[in-house]
Amino acid sequence: MKMTTSLNRSLWVFHFNSGSCNGCDIEIVATLTPRYDPERFGVKLVGSPRHADVLLVTGPVTNQMADRLRLVYAQMPGPKLVMVVGTCGQSGGVFSTSYNLAGPIDQIIPVDVYVPGCAPRPEAIIQGVVTAIAKLERLQGDGEA
Amino acid sequence: MIGTLTTGFGVWNPLVWLCVIAVALLFSWIIWRCGESDYDEDTEQTASYLSGNAEPAKGAVHVRAGNMYWGFTAALKSYYDKLIPLHSGIVNDYVSWFLIGVVVLFVAVILL
Ligand code: SF4
């Protein structure tokens, strides 16, 4: 039960680093600064996947992180989306030939939104969030809650 | 006794307390109802979140009372290293240690 329907558009995001070089993570922090201020739309990072609507994953998935990524995804309540930020998560990027790779991310868990770039600019990340909001509303409309 | 007890320090009435508890329970229930209801029971969604790590068995994370004086045993490690092997669990050994102790004590008392 939601207290008011006005909270429906708030998107709470859980950030998961599955082995990135930290470049994408720095851009995510830049996105959260007052210059872009996504919190005015209710978009904020949360500390637990159990409170999140979106799982934001950066980096290719290393062998060590694959099971943890599956578990974190399983712990999110529905409806949920997965957003990949950075080329690494889409194809492995500069790490694609590494011996220690279980990814890319869509080989581990289903992905809904891709934000390409190495690293993507904050504007691109915000565009990805907007796409995620539209898809989440569609899922809620379909009753996949 | 349902009556009100008045002392020099305050007032006690069980009915008032029952009302307070009922109101507190009502508020708790309202807050609980406002929570996230999309969890699937008996899945990972209701399991503890431990940064993506699987939850260890309860016995594996048990903090024993001995952990409280860990520093003490660490500081006296050389003493325990020698003492623990002597605790063989065989009564004959303990009786032997006892007899040796008594003999040493006896000799010491006679000589001094
Ligand atoms: S996409 Fe580029 S910036 Fe992002 S984690 Fe990979 S290498 Fe780093």
Side-chain angles (χ1 to χ4, degrees):
Chain A
M1 185 183 116
K2 291 259 183 335
M3 281 174 109
T4 74
T5 49
S6 65
L7 291 179
N8 276 350
R9 276 163 179 261
S10 297
L11 208 67
W12 287 10
V13 181
F14 180 77
H15 176 199
F16 186 97
N17 180 335
S18 64
S20 93
C21 78
N22 223 20
C24 288
D25 309 84
I26 289 169
E27 290 303 317
I28 290 165
V29 173
T31 310
L32 293 169
T33 55
R35 185 183 173 97
Y36 300 99
D37 193 17
E39 284 205 14
R40 70 200 141 124
F41 304 119
V43 178
K44 65 169 189 171
L45 289 185
V46 290
S48 167
R50 300 178 57 164
H51 303 155
D53 306 297
V54 174
L55 179 62
L56 192 159
V57 193
T58 55
V61 187
T62 60
N63 285 329
Q64 282 247 331
M65 295 305 280
D67 281 342
R68 289 169 174 84
L69 180 59
R70 281 190 201 97
L71 191 61
V72 164
Y73 178 73
Q75 289 190 323
M76 289 173 66
K80 54 189 170 187
L81 294 181
V82 177
M83 187 170 143
V84 171
V85 170
T87 308
C88 278
Q90 295 168 20
S91 62
V94 289
F95 304 115
S96 59
T97 52
S98 168
Y99 65 94
N100 195 27
L101 225 60
I105 293 161
D106 53 13
Q107 288 181 14
I108 312 289
I109 54 173
V111 174
D112 303 280
V113 180
Y114 294 91
V115 181
C118 179
R121 291 180 59 82
E123 290 89 341
I125 297 173
I126 291 171
Q127 170 67 32
V129 172
V130 170
T131 312
I133 290 175
K135 179 151 187 188
L136 202 61
E137 282 180 349
R138 232 176 22 247
L139 286 180
Q140 278 166 343
D142 293 345
E144 280 191 38
Chain B
M1 282 259 302
I2 303 290
T4 302
L5 175 68
T6 308
T7 69
F9 299 101
V11 174
W12 165 259
N13 187 320
L15 286 180
V16 173
W17 273 106
L18 282 177
C19 289
V20 169
I21 291 170
V23 170
L25 285 174
L26 181 69
F27 272 107
S28 310
W29 180 78
I30 291 170
I31 292 169
W32 178 78
R33 284 276 299 163
C34 293
E36 180 64 73
S37 59
D38 294 331
Y39 290 104
D40 294 330
E41 292 293 332
D42 300 325
T43 65
E44 291 294 346
Q45 291 178 16
T46 51
S48 303
Y49 167 59
L50 296 171
S51 302
N53 295 307
E55 193 176 350
K58 282 286 175 276
V61 290
H62 181 65
V63 179
R64 293 179 302 149
N67 293 40
M68 289 174 67
Y69 49 89
W70 172 86
F72 184 78
T73 48
L76 297 174
K77 194 168 182 307
S78 55
Y79 167 72
Y80 281 114
D81 282 350
K82 291 185 184 63
L83 205 68
I84 288 172
L86 301 180
H87 283 71
S88 59
I90 302 167
V91 176
N92 291 1
D93 290 352
Y94 296 153
V95 174
S96 307
W97 284 117
F98 176 72
L99 287 177
I100 291 169
V102 168
V103 167
V104 169
L105 205 67
F106 204 62
V107 170
V109 167
I110 288 173
L111 290 182
L112 294 177

